Amino acid sequence: MNTDTTAGMYVDRNNALARRIAPGALMLVLALPVLAARNAPNTVGQVAESNGLTSKGWFRVQTPSILRLEVGDHVQGDARSAIAQYDLLLRLDPAAIEPRARAEALRRASDLRVQLADQDHASGHGFHVSDVRRAIADYHRLLQEHPDASHNDRALYQLARAHELLREDEPAIQALLQLAQRHPQSERAADGGFRAGEMLFVRKRHREAEGAYAGVLALGPDTRYHDLAQYKYGWTLYQQSQFEGAARVFLSILDRDLPAGELDDAQAALATVEPARSDRAAESLRVAALSFAALGGGEALSAYLAAHPADDGVRRMRAMLFARLGDTLLEQERYTEAAGAYLALIGQQPDHRRAPDFQARAITAYHQGGFGELALDARAGYAERYAPGSAYWTHHDPDPAVLAEVRRHHDALGRHHQANAQNTHDPAARRDGYLRAAQWYRKTLDRFPEDPATPATSLLLADALLEGGRIDEAALQYEHTAYVLPTHGQAPAAALAAVQTWQRQVRDTQGPTRETAQRKAIASGLRLAEAFPDHPQRGRVLMAAAEDRFALGELDLAVATAGLALDADPSPDLRRDGLNLIADARFARGQYAEAERAYVELMQIRGISPGPRARVVEQLAASVYKQGETARQAGELEQAAEHFERVARRAPTSSLRASADYDAAMVRLELEDWPRAAASLEQFRRDHLNHHLLPDADKKLALAYENSARPAQAAAVYQRIALRDGEAPEIRRLAAWSAAGLYQQAGLGAQTLQAYQAYLRRYPQPLEAAMLARLHLAELSLSEQRDAAAHRYWLQQIVQADSGPGAHSEDTRRRIARASLDLGRLQAADAARVPLQAPLELSLARRKAAIEAAVGTLERAAAHGYAEITSAATYELASVYADFGRALMQSERPTQLQGDALEQYAILLEEQAFPFEEKAIRAHEINLSRLRQGIWNDAIDASVAA
């Protein structure tokens, strides 16, 4: 049917009615029965496309032409003439016309006027408003004058069209509503009610439109416009936010229009709907989803289903509804709610055939919304629910696509947690992330054992365990990857990783755990070397095993393993490490000669950096030095000395060089090889100027010089010792004393005198040594310097010490007595040299003073009680007295004395001299008296002679 949305909506454009009107009113009246019989009900047009929401959410309702006149057989005629005839008829006296005929004339004239106006409006020409106004007025006369006329339903229908032509929407709507209300049994009632609802809907008067559509629905499901009215009724509820009611209406439409049976794919279901209904069904599904979205999403739909458990029509569409609801929420960018809608179906039917697809949709929704953690949880849920062997697969045959997705999620989850762990600086979070990644990698291996990527996954698991602190587990997983899985290209790398992991545990642990890790590292390394003979790291791995064996004290095994490493990899770096370990192991085993050879070979390798080279030098020196120690312990002193001396040649820069040089000298001393010992010590002093053993070396050097009959050199060394601040005071004193004695022994008088004098300046105590030094100085002053004054000075120093501080030993007292004797003799000689000459009183006084000094000194010498010294002192006293008596007798006589005076003077001198002679006699007698004591010496002998 050709329709239009604005004009010509009620009257057919073929002028059929006019052609059926015979010229003249009589013919009309006569024809009324026939016309009434032929007057079939009017029809309604089709609903236009896309009634409802557009993609942008705006309402767009396209109202079709739904009203037209039914026509009968074609009759030739003219509408204007017919209208004129009807008007003539109506001008007749009403009493003269049958009411039924008058009513028919009013209706038909009005219908023709509306038809003509509709035609003019449709053709684009202006219609006669007056005609339409006349038609409206006549329709109202008809309805007022003939309220029970049989065709009043048609009149109301056309009246609505007339008002619409004049754009009088409200009267048109009211006319249509009156049609539906007053003539519910009319075939036009549904048409009018629906048309009223449409006009109200377009004007957004949804509450009123709701009533209009509800009136159509009340006419029953067989009513021609029932389905359209039901669809638009649902829309009015939606527009009023009566979402649950709207959803109920649209779900009813879907239940009716969609095919029977379980529906879980909307596209497939809609494809089976006849084209005339498919758009409406699709739109009903969409608006139902919008309604539930407005009510709260998946929870609302779940609640609705729970509230209508017996509604099988809705339950059979459950999957389709949840899917469309989720899609709708996704379009509205309500991402978490969309995911919740998808997951809601799984919550209700976890074993549903499309549950994996819904889980996947939830994951996608979370991702689109940027909810990474929620997406991650959804991934984990997918991976757990649909994993091979899960409860889901007890109800379904395995789906390769789903299982492939599960596998992909396992891998994605593992890598996600691993990446997060790598990007965090929090140690606890980092460890937790790696362990969570390890859980997924392990599940992957358990659930997909035949997966081609198993070796790579196994390596990822081992890596994650390692970084997560599960060292043992990581190492075992690497070994599983390398040796248990079928041959694959990553096995050598996994084997190396296992070795490195055990080695890491060795570095990170202590105690028994560390030893266990070392043994596992060794075993893992040897296993790699055996399983992968062409592994590029085979030599290095064997070297690491050798080092661990060395650390465990398995020295012979360490040497053997290092040898295998050198065979596997002759590169300079590994050769350096291997020789180093072999040398160290030989050294630790006490095989010092073999160690020396290995260290020498190691030193020949080029490119060793200064630090490692210095260590090798030290170890080489230690190897040679240990040979010296071993020889010395075995009593092979000559060999020991040679080994110690070889250290300087093998490793002249080593820290052991000084100790070796010193020990070589000590062994030479022990051998009493004084010249070579002295030479070694001299070399030691030259080479090690600031060495802490230098003081001791000096002492040993002095000893070597002494024993080599080189007193002067020994004295010089002792002098050096005596001046060294770091030495103990007593050591310094003894060294100073030794230096003086050795200079004296060497016959170096000047050095001897200087040495004793220096000694006395520094060390006036102990008295005995000081006395001896003074005695030596007294003797040397006379013998070496011929310096009587110096000789007398030192004797006086000795004598004066008699009254000084300090306890005197026997030797000290004897030396003091001897010095007193010697000094007394000198003083006696001094007195004897004083001449007695005139004037006698002057010279006599000088002589007597000198004698008194000598006597005093000699008496102190005698008082010490040493027989020999006392006898000598007594003899010297007698000599002093006797000499003085003689001197008196022989003194010069005054020149003025002559004769008796001179004789008297002589007698007087004799009288003065006699007492001294008596003293001399008594002194000799004292000496002689010692004979009775059995004492005889030169002094007594001299007294006897005297």
Side-chain angles (χ1 to χ4, degrees):
M1 182 183 72
N2 188 18
T3 61
D4 185 84
T5 60
T6 57
M9 301 180 71
Y10 292 82
V11 184
D12 189 83
R13 295 172 184 161
N14 295 322
N15 298 316
L17 180 61
R19 288 195 296 272
R20 292 177 60 194
I21 302 297
L26 183 59
M27 288 185 65
L28 173 64
V29 174
L30 294 175
L32 282 177
V34 177
L35 289 173
R38 293 181 179 180
N39 191 17
N42 291 331
T43 63
V44 180
Q46 300 296 318
V47 177
E49 294 180 356
S50 301
N51 271 317
L53 289 176
T54 67
S55 60
K56 293 184 179 180
W58 294 91
F59 286 102
R60 177 167 60 84
V61 180
Q62 186 175 3
T63 303
S65 266
I66 59 173
L67 304 176
R68 66 182 178 83
L69 292 175
E70 288 287 344
V71 299
D73 297 335
H74 285 229
V75 177
Q76 296 294 325
D78 178 69
R80 287 290 176 189
S81 297
I83 291 171
Q85 293 297 322
Y86 287 138
D87 289 343
L88 288 174
L89 179 62
L90 292 173
R91 283 197 293 270
L92 296 175
D93 185 358
I97 303 174
E98 182 183 3
R100 180 172 175 272
R102 179 176 174 80
E104 189 69 13
L106 283 171
R107 181 180 65 78
R108 288 183 178 257
S110 298
D111 286 349
L112 288 172
R113 284 186 171 93
V114 171
Q115 177 185 4
L116 290 175
D118 205 9
Q119 288 176 347
D120 290 342
H121 178 70
S123 63
H125 300 93
F127 59 85
H128 296 285
V129 174
S130 59
D131 285 347
V132 177
R133 291 288 182 197
R134 172 69 183 273
I136 290 173
D138 287 348
Y139 281 134
H140 282 292
R141 271 173 58 189
L142 170 65
L143 294 173
Q144 183 178 3
E145 295 174 1
H146 307 282
D148 299 322
S150 59
H151 296 297
N152 278 358
D153 60 332
R154 176 187 178 101
L156 287 169
Y157 194 82
Q158 290 298 92
L159 174 61
R161 177 56 185 162
H163 280 302
E164 189 172 4
L165 284 171
L166 295 177
R167 296 184 178 181
E168 297 174 349
D169 296 338
E170 190 60 31
I173 293 171
Q174 294 303 318
L176 291 171
L177 290 175
Q178 289 180 32
L179 167 62
Q181 293 167 1
R182 295 179 183 178
H183 307 282
Q185 303 304 320
S186 170
E187 293 179 348
R188 295 182 180 84
D191 196 347
F194 183 80
R195 179 62 190 163
E198 291 290 272
M199 294 181 71
L200 290 167
F201 190 93
V202 168
R203 288 155 184 79
K204 301 186 186 318
R205 295 164 63 180
H206 300 115
R207 188 183 184 92
E208 298 171 75
E210 174 190 352
Y213 291 132
V216 177
L217 295 177
L219 297 176
D222 296 330
T223 304
R224 182 175 185 181
Y225 299 108
H226 175 274
D227 293 353
L228 284 172
Q230 183 184 27
Y231 174 75
K232 297 307 293 288
Y233 175 70
W235 264 112
T236 61
L237 295 176
Y238 181 86
Q239 291 299 326
Q240 297 176 78
S241 299
Q242 299 179 34
F243 299 118
E244 185 171 355
R248 188 180 300 110
V249 172
F250 288 119
L251 291 177
S252 177
I253 294 172
L254 290 170
D255 183 41
R256 181 189 65 233
D257 290 351
L258 294 179
E262 187 80 13
L263 300 177
D264 56 18
D265 186 335
Q267 187 174 359
L270 291 171
T272 65
V273 179
E274 59 183 272
R277 292 176 174 269
S278 63
D279 288 345
R280 183 174 64 199
E283 193 68 4
S284 295
L285 178 59
R286 186 178 76 87
V287 184
L290 286 170
S291 298
F292 284 116
L295 288 169
E299 292 183 1
L301 179 53
S302 297
Y304 184 89
L305 292 170
H308 302 82
D311 191 346
D312 294 335
V314 176
R315 299 183 74 82
R316 73 187 183 90
M317 296 183 290
R318 172 166 35 198
M320 181 180 71
L321 291 174
F322 276 113
R324 190 64 185 88
L325 174 58
D327 294 347
T328 298
L329 292 167
L330 202 59
E331 291 167 2
Q332 295 176 354
E333 298 183 354
R334 295 162 62 182
Y335 300 106
T336 57
E337 294 178 80
Y342 297 133
L343 295 175
L345 173 69
I346 302 173
Q348 290 200 353
Q349 285 185 283
D351 300 325
H352 193 281
R353 181 181 69 84
R354 290 193 62 194
D357 174 56
F358 276 69
Q359 186 83 14
R361 288 172 178 238
I363 295 169
T364 301
Y366 285 136
H367 271 304
Q368 288 184 4
F371 298 96
E373 288 300 320
L374 294 176
L376 196 69
D377 291 342
R379 277 180 179 269
Y382 193 108
E384 293 292 351
R385 287 192 187 98
Y386 313 118
S390 68
Y392 178 82
W393 297 114
T394 61
H395 306 282
H396 305 280
D397 293 333
D399 185 338
V402 173
L403 293 176
E405 188 71 2
V406 170
R407 172 66 183 84
R408 189 176 69 83
H409 285 318
H410 275 67
D411 189 61
L413 287 162
R415 292 184 182 276
H416 169 83
H417 290 301
Q418 190 162 4
N420 276 359
Q422 291 170 343
N423 294 328
T424 182
H425 298 292
D426 179 7
R430 180 180 178 87
R431 183 169 56 253
D432 180 66
Y434 278 118
L435 293 180
R436 292 177 70 182
Q439 290 176 354
W440 284 107
Y441 293 141
R442 193 181 298 281
K443 288 177 180 179
T444 303
L445 295 174
D446 292 342
R447 293 168 177 174
F448 302 94
E450 304 300 325
D451 192 276
T454 291
T457 304
S458 184
L459 272 179
L460 288 172
L461 170 58
D463 291 343
L465 289 170
L466 179 63
E467 297 300 330
R470 303 283 181 82
I471 308 300
D472 284 7
E473 295 179 48
L476 293 174
Q477 190 65 37
Y478 283 128
E479 290 179 342
H480 177 85
T481 307
Y483 306 113
V484 178
L485 295 180
T487 302
H488 58 90
Q490 293 173 306
L496 179 61
V499 176
Q500 292 170 335
T501 303
W502 289 123
Q503 290 172 344
R504 172 174 169 176
Q505 191 174 43
V506 171
R507 292 192 303 271
D508 295 346
T509 57
Q510 296 296 328
T513 302
R514 186 173 192 273
E515 181 176 342
T516 300
Q518 282 179 307
R519 297 197 181 281
K520 289 181 178 179
I522 292 168
S524 187
L526 296 176
R527 190 176 186 183
L528 179 149
E530 181 179 359
F532 304 102
D534 297 326
H535 198 293
Q537 294 296 318
R538 183 171 181 266
R540 179 53 61 189
V541 167
L542 284 170
M543 191 65 243
E547 290 170 349
D548 282 330
R549 282 181 158 171
F550 180 90
L552 290 171
E554 299 173 353
L555 301 179
D556 292 337
L557 290 174
V559 170
T561 308
L564 294 175
L566 292 176
D567 292 339
D569 185 353
S571 65
D573 286 347
L574 194 134
R575 179 172 176 77
R576 178 196 63 216
D577 293 345
L579 287 173
N580 202 353
L581 184 142
I582 290 171
D584 287 349
R586 297 298 190 198
F587 185 90
R589 289 278 287 158
Q591 300 168 350
Y592 302 119
E594 293 86 343
E596 179 186 356
R597 287 193 291 272
Y599 286 127
V600 169
E601 187 176 357
L602 181 60
M603 289 288 291
Q604 294 171 354
I605 297 177
R606 293 183 178 180
I608 301 178
S609 58
R613 178 173 288 276
R615 180 194 172 276
V616 174
V617 169
E618 293 298 324
Q619 288 299 104
L620 174 58
S623 299
V624 180
Y625 185 86
K626 284 292 186 180
Q627 292 178 63
E629 285 189 330
T630 303
R632 182 163 59 183
Q633 291 168 2
E636 299 171 352
L637 299 183
E638 185 62 38
Q639 291 185 13
E642 290 175 358
H643 286 309
F644 289 136
E645 289 165 354
R646 281 197 311 115
V647 171
R649 298 194 295 275
R650 284 291 197 193
T653 62
S654 73
S655 62
L656 279 174
R657 161 77 184 283
S659 296
D661 290 348
Y662 183 81
D663 287 344
M666 295 305 100
V667 174
R668 294 297 178 191
L669 289 173
E670 194 173 352
L671 287 169
E672 297 185 358
D673 187 351
W674 309 115
R676 295 182 69 177
S680 295
L681 290 167
E682 289 168 353
Q683 188 66 42
F684 180 86
R685 290 197 76 259
R686 287 192 295 272
D687 294 341
H688 312 291
L689 295 176
N690 298 312
H691 198 275
H692 70 280
L693 289 174
L694 198 61
D696 195 57
D698 268 344
K699 299 179 185 69
K700 299 296 191 297
L701 179 58
L703 176 64
Y705 282 146
E706 285 188 79
N707 287 283
S708 300
R710 298 167 68 184
Q713 289 85 346
V717 175
Y718 279 127
Q719 269 196 325
R720 193 162 56 237
I721 296 171
L723 294 173
R724 185 174 290 126
D725 292 336
E727 295 286 359
E730 183 63 11
I731 296 295
R732 296 174 66 184
R733 186 187 70 81
L734 292 175
W737 183 260
S738 297
L742 287 168
Y743 277 132
Q744 190 172 5
Q745 180 183 339
L748 300 175
Q751 289 91 329
T752 304
L753 286 167
Q754 291 174 0
Y756 279 128
Q757 289 171 1
Y759 177 85
L760 283 172
R761 283 194 301 271
R762 295 191 187 96
Y763 308 107
Q765 298 289 336
L767 187 58
E768 185 174 358
M771 284 296 186
L772 187 57
R774 293 184 183 101
L775 183 60
H776 287 310
L777 286 169
E779 294 172 350
L780 290 169
S781 297
L782 198 57
S783 62
E784 295 294 334
Q785 292 184 317
R786 302 293 191 270
D787 187 348
H791 176 68
R792 184 190 298 271
Y793 170 80
W794 289 114
L795 289 177
Q796 289 173 343
Q797 291 294 310
I798 294 170
V799 173
Q800 289 174 4
D802 189 21
S803 58
H808 297 335
S809 67
E810 191 71 22
D811 288 341
T812 300
R813 288 194 298 271
R814 184 181 294 277
R815 290 188 183 104
I816 293 172
R818 173 62 65 181
S820 297
L821 175 62
D822 291 341
L823 182 59
R825 285 171 175 166
L826 290 176
Q827 289 173 337
D830 291 341
R833 286 193 293 272
V834 177
L836 293 178
Q837 56 190 11
L840 184 61
E841 63 274 11
L842 295 178
S843 61
L844 181 60
R846 289 196 298 272
R847 180 73 176 256
K848 286 179 70 174
I851 289 171
E852 287 174 0
V855 168
T857 302
L858 291 170
E859 285 178 347
R860 282 195 299 274
H864 283 285
Y866 298 104
E868 182 181 354
I869 296 172
T870 300
S871 299
T874 302
Y875 174 79
E876 292 298 333
L877 282 171
S879 298
V880 169
Y881 291 138
D883 184 65
F884 184 62
R886 286 193 298 272
L888 282 174
M889 295 301 294
Q890 296 172 6
S891 63
E892 184 180 2
R893 281 11 180 214
T895 56
Q896 70 272 20
L897 294 178
Q898 297 292 328
D900 291 337
L902 183 60
E903 185 176 352
Q904 286 296 322
Y905 183 80
I907 294 171
L908 181 60
L909 287 176
E910 186 175 352
E911 290 175 357
Q912 292 291 323
F914 179 77
F916 291 100
E917 290 176 357
E918 287 293 324
K919 288 181 179 182
I921 293 170
R922 283 196 300 273
H924 287 305
E925 287 175 348
I926 291 171
N927 261 352
L928 292 175
S929 67
R930 293 188 174 100
L931 291 173
R932 291 190 294 269
Q933 300 173 9
I935 299 173
W936 181 266
N937 52 42
D938 292 341
I940 295 174
D941 186 57
S943 289
V944 171

